Amino acid sequence: VILQAVAYTLMPVLFKEAKLPVGSGKRAVSRIFIAYACFGLLLGASVFAFSQTIINVLYGEAFLRAVMILRFFAVTIVFWSPVMFFNLLVIAWNRDDLFVWMSFCSALSAAVFGFVLVGLLDLTGAGLVLLAVSLVSFTMGVLVVRSAGARIGWNLREVISFRNAISALGLPLRGSN
């Protein structure tokens, strides 16, 4: 929920900047990507670090086996932030067809991983399903944004560039004039 709130807060800016001519919006889009990625990393790391305390406080010591599953979810958060960014960027580029394809692949991987991992690993497998789906979705997002972006003059490396993000803030960069 927290991750979605951040995504939806930044969405109007992302849509506006992604529709600008090629050079104009890249820096702002990079800044938004870095915000998504850093927030996901911070949230995921926090949940991972405090997973035992969270489970203990909410459910008690009888459920401490669930700490490992919560940690799987914490890693999922780290990957899901860029996935949300990639999906919104594709929509901002008016490529709904690619968004539908990405969503279909995520749904299909959820079904496949659900049957396979839960069948093989029971409860642990259930905890791994979202992590596996987030990895598939992340990979799909990278491939789709790289391909679709190249067709309109956007380079994936520029979109996810820390240098562009810092430049968008107006901060001086080493080696720049």
Side-chain angles (χ1 to χ4, degrees):
V1 173
I2 296 170
L3 198 54
Q4 286 181 322
V6 169
Y8 294 141
T9 301
L10 295 174
M11 186 172 56
V13 178
L14 175 64
F15 278 34
K16 177 183 151 217
E17 298 296 336
K19 291 179 188 294
L20 291 175
V22 173
S24 308
K26 283 184 187 174
R27 289 181 177 166
V29 169
S30 294
R31 188 179 66 225
I32 294 167
F33 171 78
I34 299 302
Y36 273 72
C38 288
F39 185 77
L41 187 61
L42 179 67
L43 184 60
S46 299
V47 171
F48 192 92
F50 297 107
S51 57
Q52 186 167 349
T53 304
I54 292 168
I55 295 296
N56 200 19
V57 167
L58 292 177
Y59 303 107
E61 289 189 26
F63 287 90
L64 285 180
R65 283 188 48 210
V67 168
M68 180 175 56
I69 293 171
L70 185 56
R71 287 184 175 161
F72 292 150
F73 291 146
V75 176
T76 300
I77 291 169
V78 172
F79 285 101
W80 208 252
S81 297
V83 168
M84 291 178 73
F85 171 83
F86 292 146
N87 286 339
L88 291 173
L89 186 58
V90 166
I91 293 170
W93 287 339
N94 294 322
R95 293 301 309 266
D96 298 345
D97 57 324
L98 294 175
F99 174 73
V100 170
W101 175 246
M102 294 164 69
S103 298
F104 173 76
C105 288
S106 290
L108 181 62
S109 66
V112 169
F113 286 125
F115 284 120
V116 172
L117 293 174
V118 172
L120 291 174
L121 302 173
D122 203 29
L123 183 61
T124 302
L128 286 170
V129 170
L130 281 179
L131 178 56
V133 171
S134 72
L135 291 172
V136 167
S137 299
F138 177 81
T139 304
M140 282 290 301
V142 167
L143 294 173
V144 166
V145 167
R146 185 174 68 189
S147 173
R151 291 187 179 136
I152 60 171
W154 286 68
N155 181 316
L156 178 64
R157 288 185 183 161
E158 292 174 334
V159 170
I160 63 173
S161 166
F162 276 99
R163 185 174 188 81
N164 279 345
I166 291 169
S167 177
L169 296 173
L171 300 174
L173 296 170
R174 184 187 302 174
S176 64
N177 295 328

